[in-house]
Amino acid sequence: MDEHKENIHLQDVNLKMSNTGEDEKPKSCSKICPAPGTAPQVSPSQSNSDFSHPVYKEISLANGHINRMSKEELRFKLAELKLDTRGVKDVMKKRLKSHYKKQKLMQSAAEGGPTDTYYDYICVVDFEATCEEDNPPDYLHEIIEFPMVLISTHTLEIVDTFQEYVKPELNPQLSDFCVKLTGITQKMVDDADPFPAVLHRVIAWLQERELGTKHKYAILTDGAWDMSKFLNIQCRVSRIRYPQFAKKWINIRKSYGNFYKVPRTQTKLTTMLEKLGLQYEGRPHSGLDDSRNIAKIALRMLQDGCQLRVNERMHAGQLLSVPSSAPMEAAPPPHNPRSRD
């Protein structure tokens, strides 16, 4: 429900952006995720001296050459390397640069030099929530679909999914607008469990996959609304504390804009897909289908050399930006949150 989310104002729930600003550009997004089994992991908090390594000078020279290539030259070179030739010129340029960077860093890693990798898995979440066509200022959105799509940063594919509908408590009767927008019927939510029970199964699902224990992972969303707005409100409605594992996440709109150097107006879901030469698959505003398509964008960005990293977090009920200079952290092991009562 990304277009509808655009109309939701964070100040309605007393959320404030920090002074760090939403458009801060994570410098590390230009790093790459090496192919599985090709490079050992090193600490992501590299010192500036690491980038004086000769391999980065070679990468810089290659980037300069690629910047001077025409669209036809880029497409020819990508085809020659058996890489994807879809997307606009800037996307193809980024893809080719990332390929050369990956090759150089793989060689560097084999020789004991620098490399880049961090999360093992990224978990995409895109909630659907109760809504009206014209939401009053004090309207409390309740989650009615909880989907998760798990992608592997090593195999670069979707490896698992979770989906459950949720029974709303404050507004148990869905509006006609909500049903039409999301495709979620009254019977679906009537037959569903309340949010705490669904969250309990989500956490069990994450634990079964050993996320946060054996494997490093991060949550990824399409915008700030899912965690800072919908989950925040839902936890208050359900009288439970905000879960620790969801307090930091990757806002893919920020990552996409920063990585491909495009304005925020070009970071809507359908626009990102189009610019990458991809098509939306499924039903728009289905939480699971939206999550799958967001995952497609994340996978393409990883393939193009973006090291997706956490760039937003919740603290004391406020939405804050995570600066690119902050050490990279994985989400903690998921546990059921305590009651607010």
Side-chain angles (χ1 to χ4, degrees), residues 146-157:
F146 201 138
M148 300 189 102
V149 171
L150 190 64
I151 61 178
S152 167
T153 63
H154 301 299
T155 64
L156 296 180
E157 61 184 353

Side-chain angles (χ1 to χ4, degrees), residues 202-219 242-247 329-337:
V202 167
I203 290 170
W205 185 83
L206 294 169
Q207 290 172 338
E208 287 167 6
R209 282 141 192 83
E210 300 182 282
L211 301 181
T213 50
K214 181 178 179 180
H215 306 294
K216 293 192 292 293
Y217 78 109
I219 303 293
Y242 193 102
Q244 288 289 329
F245 76 90
K247 284 194 171 183
E329 294 181 285
H335 296 292
N336 287 296

Side-chain angles (χ1 to χ4, degrees), residues 293-308:
N293 283 278
I294 296 164
K296 284 169 54 178
I297 294 169
L299 288 171
R300 176 55 54 84
M301 291 178 68
L302 290 170
Q303 290 166 352
D304 283 353
C306 178
Q307 188 189 49
L308 293 167

Side-chain angles (χ1 to χ4, degrees), residues 54-66:
V55 69
Y56 289 104
K57 295 179 182 178
E58 295 177 29
I59 291 168
S60 179
L61 289 172
N63 288 348
H65 176 70
I66 293 168

Side-chain angles (χ1 to χ4, degrees), residues 1 126-130 142-148 161-169 172 174 178-179 181-202 234 238 283-292:
M1 57 191 303
D126 192 79
F127 297 124
E128 296 303 316
T130 57
E142 296 174 85
I143 293 171
I144 54 175
E145 183 183 0
F146 201 138
M148 300 189 102
T161 61
F162 174 96
Q163 182 206 38
E164 281 200 30
Y165 296 110
V166 183
K167 179 183 291 185
E169 178 182 337
L174 301 182
C178 185
V179 172
L181 179 72
T182 66
I184 298 173
T185 66
Q186 188 63 47
K187 187 176 188 306
M188 289 176 180
V189 295
D190 286 345
D191 292 345
D193 284 330
F195 181 78
V198 174
L199 178 62
H200 183 84
R201 288 193 286 274
V202 167
Q234 184 63 63
S238 298
R283 185 196 188 284
H285 307 301
S286 156
L288 184 58
D289 287 346
D290 280 353
S291 297
R292 286 182 181 276

Side-chain angles (χ1 to χ4, degrees), residues 237-268:
V237 169
S238 298
R239 296 170 295 282
I240 57 176
R241 296 188 181 277
Y242 193 102
Q244 288 289 329
F245 76 90
K247 284 194 171 183
K248 295 182 180 180
W249 63 90
I250 300 164
N251 178 342
I252 197 169
R253 293 195 180 201
K254 281 187 178 181
S255 301
Y256 179 95
N258 294 334
F259 185 64
Y260 294 115
K261 303 296 189 294
V262 299
R264 290 179 60 192
T265 54
Q266 294 183 24
T267 60
K268 290 185 179 180

